[in-house]
Amino acid sequence: MFCGLCEDGAKLLLRARTTRLLTVCYSSILLSLPALAAQAQQVLVVNPALPTAADELQIFLSVEHCSFHVSSAIQGNTIYLYPDTSRPCPSLPFPNPGLVTSVKLGPLSAGSYALTVVTDGQTTDSRVLFVQEPRTQLSLLQGRFAVSATFTSPDGTPRDAHAVQLGDASGYLWFFDKSDVELTVKMVSGFLINRRYWVFVSSATDVPFTLSIVDTWLCTPPTPSCPKRTYQGAAGSNRNFIDTSSFAYD
């Protein structure tokens, strides 16, 4: 009997201590929420994601205190964004989901920028922003292959497609609207299989186009006699390409 009472008492004591510990932990979490919110990411989206010097930028921010008005200043290669936190805001239910606003900038000169959010005199978020020169050509696989395209506009005029480099091996081209991707190009080495470079072209258009890939390493500067591959899409049709024998691995 005595041992049973001791065992029950020990269980009650352990349960009480556990409850007290959980209460302390929960209180600590609640107290730390404002600090965590202050450290949360504020720059949510930069549109376009890969801007050029010809683009206007729209930057979406997560803000507090209904600070929808955001002023900006550019000093050298640093872009400062200042959310106005002085305006009153209705109370929001817990947990506060945050509010989203945006600010427009640019066009900016090509280069690297530090995008910095300053709230009430404190830096609350920052990230790096890269702005490219507008281009009509992709430079793939360490600059060896020059990729470009022309298309025919509705009035019958031939035009150059705009190019956006995604990485060393891939990129895309747009015709009429920079937010509308028309052609995606990827090149990889097939050396271990057939000693050739492989080309993958994904088309999302029925506008007539001619895509050209030139091997610039075998003739510098590039001339009409350089090794070249051409891929064409006819009007009213959508055509993709997988070419596993495009260029020899020299």
Side-chain angles (χ1 to χ4, degrees):
M1 174 71 77
F2 180 74
C3 291
L5 290 174
C6 290
E7 184 177 351
D8 291 341
K11 289 181 178 178
L12 289 173
L13 180 60
L14 178 60
R15 187 177 302 167
R17 289 180 174 177
T18 301
T19 302
R20 191 177 302 119
L21 179 60
L22 290 175
T23 301
V24 172
C25 290
Y26 183 69
S27 299
S28 299
I29 291 173
L30 289 178
L31 290 173
S32 65
L33 282 177
L36 292 175
Q39 298 173 4
Q41 176 181 345
Q42 285 186 272
V43 179
L44 301 177
V45 176
V46 176
N47 183 43
L50 299 172
T52 72
D55 297 326
E56 181 182 58
L57 281 70
Q58 186 170 17
I59 302 169
F60 292 86
L61 302 174
S62 173
V63 295
E64 297 179 351
H65 307 296
C66 289
S67 48
F68 291 113
H69 177 73
V70 179
S71 59
S72 62
I74 302 176
Q75 298 179 9
N77 283 68
T78 301
I79 303 170
Y80 293 99
L81 303 178
Y82 301 98
D84 181 3
T85 61
S86 64
R87 303 187 180 190
C89 181
S91 59
L92 296 174
F94 177 84
N96 186 330
L99 304 166
V100 176
T101 188
S102 67
V103 60
K104 292 184 178 181
L105 298 171
L108 302 173
S109 300
S112 174
Y113 295 84
L115 190 58
T116 303
V117 182
V118 180
T119 306
D120 294 332
Q122 301 293 322
T123 298
T124 52
D125 193 15
S126 63
R127 61 175 287 181
V128 177
L129 174 67
F130 296 101
V131 178
Q132 307 177 44
E133 290 284 2
R135 58 171 64 185
T136 58
Q137 179 176 286
L138 302 174
S139 183
L140 302 185
L141 300 185
Q142 299 181 345
R144 176 167 182 171
F145 297 101
V147 182
S148 60
T150 59
F151 67 96
T152 304
S153 62
D155 62 4
T157 305
R159 300 182 183 277
D160 292 328
H162 302 268
V164 178
Q165 188 99 14
L166 295 175
D168 183 57
S170 64
Y172 68 84
L173 300 109
W174 59 272
F175 297 168
F176 308 104
D177 185 335
K178 60 177 176 289
S179 64
D180 189 4
V181 179
E182 305 283 2
L183 299 171
T184 304
V185 183
K186 178 180 179 180
M187 293 188 68
V188 298
S189 169
F191 176 79
L192 296 179
I193 299 176
N194 65 349
R195 297 182 62 86
R196 293 275 177 170
Y197 287 98
W198 297 3
V199 176
F200 301 86
V201 180
S202 176
S203 169
T205 184
D206 60 359
V207 173
F209 68 86
T210 299
L211 178 78
S212 300
I213 304 179
V214 178
D215 187 345
T216 65
W217 281 14
L218 297 184
C219 50
T220 303
T223 65
S225 63
C226 290
K228 180 179 181 180
R229 276 285 197 273
T230 300
Y231 308 91
Q232 293 182 314
S237 65
N238 177 266
R239 189 178 180 189
N240 303 307
F241 300 89
I242 298 177
D243 186 353
T244 58
S245 60
S246 61
F247 297 93
Y249 202 100
D250 295 328

